[in-house]
Amino acid sequence: SSDLDTAEEAFEKVQVLEGADGILFAQPGDLGVSGVDLKEAEAQEPPPPRGLLLQERVNEEIASAKLPGPLAEYARVVVCSCCAEAPTRAAAEAAMEQELRPLVEKRLLD
């Protein structure tokens, strides 16, 4: 039998729901998900975006560093920006190094 015959046979097994004016709706059991699990999944809040989590960590770490106000703010903005824009941690670290390295005294780098 062809694919068309198979599809027609499957369509013949579909039952129209009463009171739905002939419109077919998928029921929770049809999707392989029980109604209880579906309700629990809908009730859970999605996790915060990764960028927001990183930003919170950066803010905590910069606040604990002993830096003058303007420098701390600049470092916070640079680190948050690098984390948000770079596709990987290594790329973010390289971008931070490039941006913040000129601020460090040469004697401290050696």
Side-chain angles (χ1 to χ4, degrees):
S1 95
S2 70
D3 290 336
L4 183 58
D5 292 339
T6 305
E8 288 176 6
E9 291 170 9
F11 190 73
E12 289 173 4
K13 295 178 184 177
V14 174
Q15 296 177 358
V16 177
L17 298 176
E18 293 295 322
D21 296 328
I23 300 172
L24 302 177
F25 296 95
Q27 300 298 309
D30 297 338
L31 304 173
V33 177
S34 73
V36 175
D37 293 339
L38 187 59
K39 289 177 184 173
E40 288 176 11
E42 290 172 349
Q44 293 178 354
E45 290 185 31
R50 180 178 174 270
L52 184 60
L53 293 174
L54 288 171
Q55 208 170 28
E56 290 173 0
R57 283 183 57 193
V58 168
N59 290 338
E60 291 171 8
E61 293 297 323
I62 294 290
S64 68
K66 295 179 180 166
L67 297 171
L71 181 58
E73 180 61 17
Y74 177 72
R76 186 190 68 76
V77 169
V78 167
V79 173
C80 286
S81 175
C82 290
C83 289
E85 294 174 11
T88 64
R89 180 179 179 162
E93 288 174 349
M96 285 183 261
E97 177 82 16
Q98 181 180 1
E99 187 72 27
L100 296 173
R101 189 176 186 89
L103 301 177
V104 180
E105 293 180 32
K106 183 173 178 7
R107 65 181 174 82
L108 295 175
L109 293 174
D110 296 331

